[in-house]
Structures are given as C-alpha cells and as structure tokens.
Amino acid sequence: MKILKLTPPTKDYIWGGTRLSKEFGILSFEDRQAEAWMLSCHEAGQCVIENGDFAGRTLSDVLANEGKSYLGKNCERFESFPILIKLIDALDNLSVQVHPDDAYALEHEGEYGKTEAWYIVDCDEGAEIIYGFKKDIDSETFRKSIEENTLLEYVNRVKVKKGDIFFIQAGTLHAICKGILLAEVQQNSNTTYRVYDYGRLQNGKPRELHVEKAIDVTSTKAIDASGKPQGETIKKDGYSETLLTSCELFTVKRLDVEERAELVADDKSFVSLVALEGNGVVMHGDTCVTLYKGDSLFIPAGFGRFEILGEVTVIETRV
C-alpha cells in the first residue's frame, strides 16, 4: 500500500475565479477555475495519481485493480466510490439550486443523490450563502416564485466567515454567493437542479433551469444555520483537531498541525487529506510525501500509522 498524491481535474464554470491556481498551485488549461475536484472517481472528472508506481493512472483505475480493501469496511455498502471533495472559488454567485436524495436520483438520473458539507476556507467581508427558506412555504408558492422571478424574496441568507461549516441535506435549496472560497465534501454525484441564475447568459443563451424536478425534491420548510462546527477544538500532541461535521456518509475534521500529528488509517475507511494552508510532509516508515497547500492525498484503508510533520492545516475526510 502506498500514499497516493492526486492531481485534480478542474472546471471553468462562468462564476469561477483564479484563486485555485494563484494561491493553491492547481494548474489547468483554463484561465478561470471554478472548481478543483480534489478527490474524485466520478466520470465527469477523474483524479490522476502523480507519484509512485501508479503515476499517470486514474484513482478509479487503481481502485478497480487493487480491490475494495483500499476503501475499507465502511464503504462496502456502496456500489461505487462514495464521496467527492472539491475546492470551489466563487468569484460570482452560483445559481440557486437543489440536489435530490438517493431514491429520486437513482430513479431519474442513474446515480446517487447529493448530501454535502461546506467548509468556508476564506471569504470577503459580508459574504453570504443561500441556505433554504426563511419561512415555511408550500410547493405552489415555490413554483410561483420561480415563474414570477421573486424567489430571492423567500430564501434564507446567511452571513459567513472563515472556519464556518454548513451541512446541506439533499433537498435543501442553496447557493454559494460571490466572494467565497470553500471546501465541499459531498456524495459522489454531479446531479444539480437549477431554479434561478440571475438572468445570466452563457454563449448568448440562459442556462437551463430544472423547475419540475426541483419542485419534486425541495423541502420548503424554514431552516436555521449557525455555521458552528459539530465538535469543539481538541488540543493534542503537536496539533489540534476539530470535528466539523459527521453523518452516515462521511466524517470531516480540520487538523491544525503545529509540529506533528500521529494518525491511523484503520480497516474501516480510507483517509483523504486536503491541505488548505501551510506545508508539511506525511511520513510512513521510510516513505515521505510532501503535503503543501493545494495538495490532496489518498491513504488506503488498513494503511496503519502515519505522521504529518510541519505547519499545515488540512481537511481530513473518512467514510
């Protein structure tokens, strides 16, 4: 078993900026980088391994050949790779949208639904997200607000700050607004139902809306959002650990390494590490893999003990 360093695919959606390349060193052929898919086996964008014996191969290809033992026991219930992790740079507003749950998505789209979590890596002062509705409405009011272009009168706007975390259950209307850079941990799905897009044009035409499907899956109940991590920050030997969010699909922590962090990849789940600030190395025996800002590492289940050395902040994700 080896620690795998991943090269992410990128997306140049119309609302994207340039921070992923300028600040995180994530390269692409596009001038604009909206998203970098830091851990992905999705057909719409595959991570490629850049180190060791597997260099040049996709992560999907390696996992298919090495077997599900690389994923861990907690992944056995999934038919395909369970999660997708992104860095998202919103220079402009994203569309107001919703994702279906598993049952609806499998029936209508042929893939799993999408529950996700957003960790605010950085943001402009006064930046906000759209997160559900500010008061209960019914489906007919939701439909009418889309048709009459009054949807933004009903949505819940939430001010955000660096370090906030938001858990977004499938069926929750949402949007990332301009001036936010975030890390997204989500189910391995690319199904999005768009209901409002600020009247923007792409190639001279409005982007497609998906009103009927959105009405089918959207919860129109009011929702609160604090942005507070699920757990308190715990000081450990050489680092601090904060539980950001945990659900039946994934567990996400922030590790603030000051000198060293000793961790274990047991047989339950693989470990994903995405570096957000600083730099360091990951050590396992004689193996040393660099972990700089913008790097993504995949550590197989059952890998055992390993250390992060340096001064680096990472998002750790397990299933």
Side-chain angles (χ1 to χ4, degrees), residues 56-280:
R57 296 170 61 183
T58 65
L59 179 60
S60 293
D61 179 45
V62 170
L63 295 178
N65 282 276
E66 297 302 318
K68 287 194 173 182
S69 63
Y70 260 49
L71 300 181
K73 294 178 180 178
N74 291 349
C75 296
E76 290 177 356
R77 68 187 190 272
F78 300 107
E79 294 181 6
S80 58
F81 192 77
I83 61 172
L84 197 163
I85 300 176
K86 302 175 180 178
L87 290 179
I88 297 177
D89 176 18
L91 181 65
D92 200 356
N93 297 320
L94 276 70
S95 63
V96 183
Q97 57 191 242
V98 66
H99 308 298
D101 62 16
D102 287 346
Y104 191 95
L106 287 168
E107 179 181 353
H108 293 86
E109 311 297 343
E111 68 173 3
Y112 285 104
K114 184 176 172 183
T115 287
E116 60 193 301
W118 294 345
Y119 175 75
I120 308 299
V121 177
D122 196 15
C123 62
D124 294 343
E125 184 175 354
E128 62 184 15
I129 61 171
I130 290 173
Y131 189 79
F133 296 91
K134 59 186 177 184
K135 63 180 182 180
D136 292 357
I137 62 173
D138 57 30
S139 293
E140 188 54 39
T141 302
F142 181 34
R143 179 192 297 276
K144 188 175 180 181
S145 73
I146 297 170
E147 294 173 347
E148 296 182 354
N149 203 31
T150 59
L151 177 63
L152 297 187
E153 298 176 12
Y154 296 90
V155 300
N156 186 30
R157 294 181 178 272
V158 181
K159 298 291 185 183
V160 302
K161 63 183 184 302
K162 182 176 179 178
D164 281 348
I165 180 76
F166 298 93
F167 181 76
I168 302 167
Q169 187 75 39
T172 302
L173 193 75
H174 62 273
I176 304 167
C177 298
K178 63 182 179 180
I180 295 176
L181 191 149
L182 61 78
E184 177 178 285
V185 180
Q186 59 160 93
Q187 285 182 272
N188 187 17
S189 172
N190 200 34
T191 296
T192 296
Y193 300 148
R194 188 182 302 122
V195 296
Y196 181 79
D197 198 36
Y198 304 91
R200 290 181 292 205
L201 301 180
Q202 186 172 33
N203 299 321
K205 298 179 180 180
R207 294 200 295 173
E208 182 183 4
L209 300 183
H210 314 91
V211 176
E212 295 305 322
K213 289 182 176 179
I215 290 171
D216 284 346
V217 305
T218 300
S219 170
T220 56
K221 300 293 184 181
I223 190 170
D224 293 323
S226 70
K228 184 179 178 180
Q230 187 173 330
E232 300 296 328
T233 297
I234 301 172
K235 286 287 293 182
K236 298 197 173 186
D237 184 17
Y239 73 106
S240 298
E241 175 185 288
T242 306
L243 174 63
L244 298 177
T245 190
S246 182
C247 65
E248 63 180 5
L249 298 165
F250 46 72
T251 295
V252 185
K253 297 178 180 179
R254 186 185 71 232
L255 308 179
D256 296 295
V257 182
E258 299 166 357
E259 296 178 2
R260 62 183 291 277
E262 184 174 321
L263 306 171
V264 178
D266 59 24
D267 63 356
K268 294 179 180 178
S269 173
F270 64 87
V271 180
S272 165
L273 301 177
V274 176
L276 302 181
E277 295 180 14
N279 60 78

